[in-house]
Amino acid sequence: MTKTLAIDTSTFVMGVAVTEGERTLGELMTNLKKNHSIRLMPAIKQLLEEVNITPQQLERIVVAEGPGSYTGVRIGVTTAKTLAWSLDIPLVGVSTLAVIAQGGYFFEGFVSPIIDARRGKVYTGLYKDGSPVSDDWARDRIILLEEWLETLARLDERVLFIGQDVKLHRAMIEAKLGEKAVFAPFSMHLPRPGELARLGQRLQPVPSIHSFVPNYHQLAEAEAKWRKAQK
């Protein structure tokens, strides 16, 4: 039974979990606007000690690869890469949106996880039964919310909106979709690190730890401005 450490710092939520096979040994989560870079390693150390597992016993590292906060995603990915390389164990990256969508696993309809991307845009995708919908238009992306809602309005089933940034856009969602829109209760909005670990157990490790990079779905604002200036 594979011992897995899962790490998520891609949003305000900092989550760490340790699993062994299909058993979650422990989870540690906070939802605070605090510096993940300072708190992450102590949280990992604390959780490993509580579940009585040493770093050398770990067999897989799973990390939320984004999208989300540029700095937060980078902190989690860098930490996961360092641990996987130093322990010489496989590394797996999982979409943050996929982790959020697991809160609606048993919803009878579609699930649209939402992370605010500012300027009327959101990071989102479409899921059903915990898995991404295979149609190309439904894949994880950054998109104008209004455009996304116009697409969802053509679906025949209800759509569950999930993620703590949903509250920022609820008025527009209700106006565009009416009764077709369903909103998850607040207790389901946060991405659970135990779900991240479960998803990561089913995916293939990255082929190269050193070349693995976060999936931002867009350039950071500073980098975008720099590239524009170079042109």
Side-chain angles (χ1 to χ4, degrees):
M1 294 184 291
T2 302
K3 294 180 176 64
T4 300
L5 171 67
I7 298 169
D8 184 2
T9 59
S10 54
T11 63
F12 280 164
V13 176
M14 184 189 74
V16 181
V18 177
T19 62
E20 185 174 19
E22 296 185 354
R23 182 186 177 198
T24 300
L25 300 181
E27 285 183 301
L28 192 157
M29 285 179 63
T30 60
N31 184 28
L32 305 169
K33 193 175 182 180
K34 290 188 175 181
N35 195 330
H36 292 333
S37 64
I38 295 174
R39 301 169 60 239
L40 179 58
M41 284 307 298
I44 293 173
K45 181 176 183 291
Q46 175 188 339
L47 185 57
L48 288 175
E49 289 176 350
E50 288 185 359
V51 300
N52 198 29
I53 288 180
T54 66
Q56 290 71 29
Q57 291 177 297
L58 294 172
E59 299 167 276
R60 174 171 290 213
I61 305 291
V62 180
V63 64
E65 65 182 14
S69 159
Y70 180 81
T71 302
V73 173
R74 185 173 55 187
I75 290 168
V77 168
T78 300
T79 301
K81 289 175 64 172
T82 302
L83 288 171
W85 178 81
S86 61
L87 296 170
D88 193 23
I89 56 178
L91 172 66
V92 179
V94 178
S95 163
T96 302
L97 291 167
V99 184
I100 295 173
Q102 300 312 302
Y105 189 96
F106 296 106
F107 179 72
E108 294 183 358
F110 292 106
V111 176
S112 179
I114 296 288
I115 300 175
D116 183 59
R118 298 189 294 182
R119 298 184 177 89
K121 296 180 179 180
V122 296
Y123 300 109
T124 190
L126 200 65
Y127 291 75
K128 193 165 190 178
D129 301 325
S131 299
V133 174
S134 59
D135 297 294
D136 185 64
W137 65 267
R139 73 183 187 278
D140 289 358
R141 62 183 62 208
I142 181 172
I143 189 172
L144 284 169
L145 177 61
E146 186 172 6
E147 180 182 339
W148 180 244
L149 295 176
E150 289 172 355
T151 301
L152 297 183
R154 296 193 286 269
L155 297 174
D156 294 329
E157 298 184 51
R158 297 187 304 166
V159 181
L160 175 72
F161 291 89
I162 190 167
Q164 60 182 342
D165 288 343
V166 168
K167 63 180 180 293
L168 302 175
H169 305 285
R170 180 161 181 158
M172 179 183 287
I173 295 170
E174 290 178 327
K176 293 287 186 180
L177 297 186
E179 294 183 357
K180 186 178 288 187
V182 181
F183 299 93
F186 78 91
S187 58
M188 295 170 58
H189 284 312
L190 303 186
R192 284 190 54 192
E195 293 290 351
L196 170 62
R198 181 180 64 84
L199 292 174
Q201 290 176 352
R202 302 186 298 181
L203 298 176
Q204 291 297 315
V206 301
S208 169
I209 292 174
H210 292 295
S211 62
F212 175 65
V213 294
N215 190 353
Y216 298 115
H217 287 282
Q218 68 172 345
L219 297 176
E221 185 174 2
E223 185 176 357
K225 288 181 178 179
W226 180 85
R227 290 194 179 188
K228 184 178 181 180
Q230 302 312 302
K231 295 180 180 179

